[in-house]
């Protein structure tokens, strides 16, 4: 009963701690440390209970040994009284002989009582001894489990820290991944591309405006030549076949030709 109650409470506590660890996995290190502390406290509680059980057993063994000693002592007293009675009887002193025989009977009676006490305690002592042995084995197993739990805790904490470090490295690498458009570098590159595209657009717009200006100048020159040739035709200073040669020169110089007048 003692063994079952002690280790039953410890098993329930262990299961409760494991469930709490699984439910509160946001900080595994704290939960594992608390679990080790709880298990250590449970072992201390079990040790106290087992020590009390062992103490009770030792008291029963002391009482048993005392009963055995008393039985032996009363047996020796009974033997001594019986021998004394025989001595008196050999000398014819029946009165004293009877007195020591009576003392021997009293000693035998007490010897038997002590023997009965010892025999009655033997089954209880045997049962308690078996329980104590099992409790000691259980405690040793608990201490072994505590060692395993401590090692497991250290391993899990190391794995957790390694996972966190890997996650940090992954996040750091991802933040500078040139090919990832969502990274900081990718967003910065996209911003620069937009700015470059804007500049190209502005250059293209400026170039289009300049071409239009040159085209308007060409149109104006052509219109001026047309007007000059028309004026030459009206004044009779040019002919349709000579427009391409003389008119262009006259138009360019801005003065009519006087060759005909000089000849005449």
């Amino acid at each position: 009963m003692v063994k079952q109650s002690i280790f039953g409470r410890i098993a329930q506590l262990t299961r409760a701690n494991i469930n709490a660890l699984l439910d509160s996995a946001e900080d595994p290190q704290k939960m594992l440390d608390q679990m080790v502390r709880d298990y250590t406290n449970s072992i201390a509680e079990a040790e106290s209970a087992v020590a009390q059980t062992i103490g009770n057993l030792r008291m029963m063994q002391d009482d048993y040994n005392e009963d055995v000693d008393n039985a032996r002592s009363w047996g020796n007293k009974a033997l001594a009284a019986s021998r004394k009675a025989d001595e008196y009887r050999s000398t014819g002193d029946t009165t004293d002989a009877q007195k020591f025989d009576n003392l021997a009977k009293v000693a035998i009676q007490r010897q038997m009582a002590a023997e009965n006490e010892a025999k009655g305690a033997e089954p209880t002592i045997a049962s308690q001894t078996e329980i104590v042995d099992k409790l000691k084995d259980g405690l040793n197993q608990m201490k072994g489990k505590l060692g395993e739990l401590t090692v497991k805790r250290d391993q899990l904490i190391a794995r957790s820290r390694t996972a966190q470090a890997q996650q940090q490295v992954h996040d750091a690498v991802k933040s500078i991944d040139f090919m990832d458009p969502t990274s900081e570098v990718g967003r910065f590159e996209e911003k620069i591309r937009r700015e470059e595209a804007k500049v190209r657009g502005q250059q293209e717009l400026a170039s289009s405006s300049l071409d239009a200006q040159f085209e308007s100048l060409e149109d104006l020159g052509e219109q001026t030549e047309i007007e000059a040739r028309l004026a030459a035709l009206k004044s009779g200073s040019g002919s349709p076949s000579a427009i391409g040669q003389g008119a262009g020169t006259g138009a360019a110089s801005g003065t009519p030709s006087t060759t005909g007048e000089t000849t005449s």
Side-chain angles (χ1 to χ4, degrees), residues 97-159:
Q98 186 63 39
K99 183 178 75 171
F100 279 97
D101 279 339
N102 291 335
L103 288 174
K105 291 179 181 179
V106 171
I108 292 173
Q109 184 178 9
R110 294 186 177 181
Q111 179 188 20
M112 293 174 60
E115 289 174 350
N116 290 334
E117 287 288 337
K119 288 180 181 180
E122 285 178 353
T124 303
I125 291 175
S127 175
Q128 289 297 309
T129 299
E130 182 179 358
I131 290 175
V132 166
D133 290 340
K134 290 181 178 180
L135 288 173
K136 288 180 178 179
D137 292 339
L139 276 176
N140 291 331
Q141 292 177 5
M142 288 179 65
K143 291 177 180 179
K145 291 294 183 181
L146 178 59
E148 294 176 4
L149 177 60
T150 302
V151 172
K152 191 66 175 179
R153 176 200 61 183
D154 295 341
Q155 291 176 348
L156 290 174
I157 291 175
R159 287 170 58 186

Side-chain angles (χ1 to χ4, degrees), residues 205-226:
L205 181 61
S207 176
S208 298
S209 177
L210 187 61
D211 291 342
Q213 292 177 16
F214 278 111
E215 288 177 0
S216 65
L217 289 175
E218 291 176 358
D219 292 341
L220 180 60
E222 183 179 357
Q223 187 65 31
T224 302
E225 184 177 356
I226 292 173

